[in-house]
Amino acid sequence: MEKDITKHKLKKIINKLSKYRGRNTELVSLYIPSGYPLPKVTQQLRDEAGTASNIKSKTTRKNVLSALEKITQHLKLYKHTPKNGLIILCGNISPQEGNPDYKLFSLETPEPMSIRLYRCDQEFVLTPLKEMVEEKDIYALLILERNEATIGLLKGKRIELLDHMTSGVPGKARAGGQSSVRFSRLRDIADHEFRVRIGQHVNNFFLDMLPVLKGIIVGGPGLTKNKFVEGDYLDYRLKEKIGDTFDTVYTEEYGLRELVDKASDSLQELEVMREKKIMKRFFQELIKENGLVAYGEKEIKNALEIGAVDDLLISEALDLWRVKIVCNCGYENILTKTEQDLQKLETEIPEKQCPKCGNLQLEIKEKIELVEELSEKAESTGAKVHLISVDTEEGNQLFKAFGGIAAILRFSMR
Ligand SMILES: [Zn+2]
């Protein structure tokens, strides 16, 4: 999967949470790091409640105490802190005085969190969470010279030095008595052997990361990098991921940084290229008679159901929810709504008549984002899910002309 659905979902939640404001400093944010004992958290909440009882404003005091109480109650659902950590945000988000609307948001973090934080403010603390969901693409970095090699990793914006190797290949000076032909042949062999050794190290580091590795970027001052890229020194699955090569001057940590600087434009292009490439395949199938494509919510659902989808293309701009409405009389209906329409429906539903029995007993039983529903189905049938941005013309077309959902199929459905 090119972009993480969980993170995509979290981004939307963060966006929503960032809009909430308390009337005063009364929104509580609590970050519990992985492995931190919950009894200590409960104790801290008690202490905070003690402090909050001194707040002068009666409403603020009441709101903070209520939030703390709700958090304490919520924590009782857990035997211990979830594996990666837990974030709880709670408070009165109602814009009207005297008409409180307490909300509690509880999120298990997608990756191990080390931050411990308690804050009571006018808004929720979201920055650490935002940093967590930033796309963290992983690239392998190689700087190759005749006598030296540096292997590194780029994760998001962080560069990590993994290995620095030296060849032991003799330098330019030739030992006395050796013929120059023989010398240069020996050196070629030694150079080749060094590249083999580099290849082994790179395989060792990156084969395990294959599913998340976006590409391999190669740099260096001379021809060694080209010989390495053109030769068969890497596992073929890694070789496929080699992107551009760059001329660089430095080695080790500094060289890795130089390489990332030089590659930054092409890294951005790579993401765009990937999107363009998969969309191009879709358009190529589309114009064929009996092309292996499907689009639109209904067709895609059918295709997923019978396991026909190979690549599912979902626009990041897609903003649809699946909503199940039920009534006591047994009436059931499943609708697709935009987020805005869903909110409208949620406020209007108590006054809506059931089409079957005519009573005012309709309620929303389930709601799930379409992106999520479709990707779950896709993953259970082994289809690949691609979230496509609207940054490219192709991505725009997916959203505007195909309703934001399309697929490349394994077999024809017609
Ligand atoms: Zn009914």
Side-chain angles (χ1 to χ4, degrees):
M1 203 189 320
E2 279 163 17
K3 284 177 196 161
D4 204 313
I5 298 288
T6 323
K7 291 193 173 174
H8 170 76
K9 206 178 132 194
L10 260 178
K11 267 190 201 167
K12 292 190 102 172
I13 296 173
I14 293 170
N15 193 17
K16 196 168 107 190
L17 290 170
S18 65
K19 290 179 185 136
Y20 294 129
R21 291 285 177 281
R23 291 179 55 83
N24 294 295
T25 52
E26 56 190 44
L27 300 187
V28 175
S29 306
L30 180 67
Y31 283 55
I32 309 170
S34 53
Y36 195 78
L38 284 185
K40 277 194 170 180
V41 181
T42 324
Q43 180 57 47
Q44 189 191 2
L45 291 174
R46 264 197 299 271
D47 296 345
E48 295 294 346
T51 315
S53 56
N54 299 323
I55 297 172
K56 284 207 180 71
S57 149
K58 196 182 150 203
T59 13
T60 310
R61 183 171 66 231
K62 184 173 162 282
N63 286 340
V64 174
L65 289 173
S66 303
L68 289 170
E69 176 56 24
K70 276 188 197 308
I71 296 174
T72 308
Q73 289 304 323
H74 178 75
L75 280 176
K76 288 185 180 155
L77 299 173
Y78 295 89
K79 280 209 181 74
H80 36 73
T81 308
K83 193 169 100 281
N84 289 333
L86 184 67
I87 300 174
I88 301 173
L89 309 166
C90 184
N92 171 24
I93 55 159
S94 167
Q96 293 149 310
E97 178 118 40
N99 186 18
D101 178 12
Y102 294 104
K103 285 260 160 57
L104 183 140
F105 305 92
S106 173
L107 300 163
E108 294 184 19
T109 53
E111 50 188 70
M113 176 177 76
S114 55
I115 303 153
R116 192 159 79 85
L117 177 147
Y118 169 89
R119 197 173 300 158
C120 194
D121 208 333
Q122 251 192 305
E123 48 197 84
F124 291 126
V125 177
L126 296 168
T127 315
L129 185 59
K130 272 183 201 157
E131 278 164 13
M132 240 174 276
V133 299
E134 256 172 31
E135 296 294 339
K136 287 196 186 98
D137 290 343
I138 296 182
Y139 291 89
L141 305 171
L142 308 180
I143 298 177
L144 308 177
E145 289 183 53
R146 186 158 200 173
N147 297 308
E148 243 183 286
T150 308
I151 304 174
L153 181 75
L154 175 68
K155 190 178 181 196
K157 288 183 177 89
R158 208 185 71 226
I159 296 170
E160 208 178 301
L161 175 71
L162 297 178
D163 197 4
H164 181 249
M165 307 163 65
T166 47
S167 71
V169 176
K172 288 200 166 66
R174 140 168 80 102
Q178 278 183 325
S179 82
S180 69
V181 175
R182 183 177 145 73
F183 176 75
S184 102
R185 198 167 56 85
L186 283 176
R187 227 172 59 161
D188 284 347
I189 293 171
D191 285 346
H192 170 73
E193 277 167 0
F194 183 46
R195 291 193 292 271
V196 171
R197 199 148 63 85
I198 297 169
Q200 284 164 351
H201 281 226
V202 176
N203 287 343
N204 283 344
F205 279 118
F206 295 108
L207 272 177
D208 286 345
M209 293 182 203
L210 210 53
V212 290
L213 190 70
K214 292 269 167 127
I216 300 176
I217 310 161
V218 187
L223 285 174
T224 302
K225 62 175 178 300
N226 307 75
K227 285 184 182 157
F228 185 85
V229 166
E230 284 150 23
D232 279 318
Y233 298 104
L234 286 183
D235 182 282
Y236 73 99
R237 289 162 295 176
L238 287 173
K239 199 180 165 185
E240 279 174 359
K241 301 208 175 205
I242 296 180
D244 290 335
T245 57
F246 299 88
D247 285 319
T248 56
V249 182
Y250 301 99
T251 59
E252 301 190 56
E253 201 116 34
Y254 203 78
L256 293 177
R257 225 169 294 151
E258 185 193 7
L259 179 61
V260 170
D261 278 347
K262 293 207 163 149
S264 64
D265 285 346
S266 103
L267 290 180
Q268 272 175 355
E269 269 167 41
L270 224 63
E271 183 61 42
V272 174
M273 287 310 295
R274 249 197 310 271
E275 287 186 8
K276 277 179 172 282
K277 213 163 120 189
I278 188 91
M279 285 307 298
K280 201 174 146 200
R281 263 182 61 207
F282 170 76
F283 289 121
Q284 278 168 348
E285 287 297 324
L286 184 71
I287 53 173
K288 282 185 202 163
E289 203 179 331
N290 295 320
L292 294 173
V293 289
Y295 49 87
E297 192 191 333
K298 218 170 176 179
E299 216 176 286
I300 295 290
K301 271 200 78 181
N302 290 338
L304 282 170
E305 226 111 275
I306 59 167
V309 175
D310 198 4
D311 292 276
L312 179 64
L313 315 172
I314 307 178
S315 172
E316 278 190 329
L318 189 73
D319 191 19
L320 294 175
W321 290 75
R322 305 274 299 161
V323 192
K324 190 175 177 182
I325 296 176
V326 296
C327 175
N328 284 346
C329 73
Y331 171 82
E332 254 187 42
N333 197 7
I334 293 174
L335 304 165
T336 306
K337 297 262 172 202
T338 63
E339 190 154 346
Q340 215 182 349
D341 286 346
L342 172 63
Q343 277 168 9
K344 211 172 134 213
L345 181 71
E346 278 172 335
T347 52
E348 286 173 356
I349 201 151
E351 286 123 48
K352 271 195 194 295
Q353 276 192 337
C354 167
K356 197 174 157 195
C357 69
N359 290 335
L360 300 176
Q361 288 174 325
L362 287 175
E363 60 171 330
I364 294 174
K365 193 72 191 280
E366 286 166 27
K367 54 178 183 178
I368 181 170
E369 253 189 286
L370 194 61
V371 175
E372 206 183 331
E373 189 190 62
L374 293 175
S375 13
E376 270 170 22
K377 274 210 180 98
E379 272 160 28
S380 70
T381 60
K384 298 178 280 297
V385 181
H386 310 264
L387 278 174
I388 309 283
S389 74
V390 283
D391 300 339
T392 66
E393 205 194 311
E394 289 86 348
N396 244 310
Q397 253 177 301
L398 172 66
F399 182 56
K400 291 194 176 131
F402 298 95
I405 323 166
I408 300 170
L409 302 179
R410 293 181 175 132
F411 50 84
S412 174
M413 292 172 53
R414 287 158 221 266

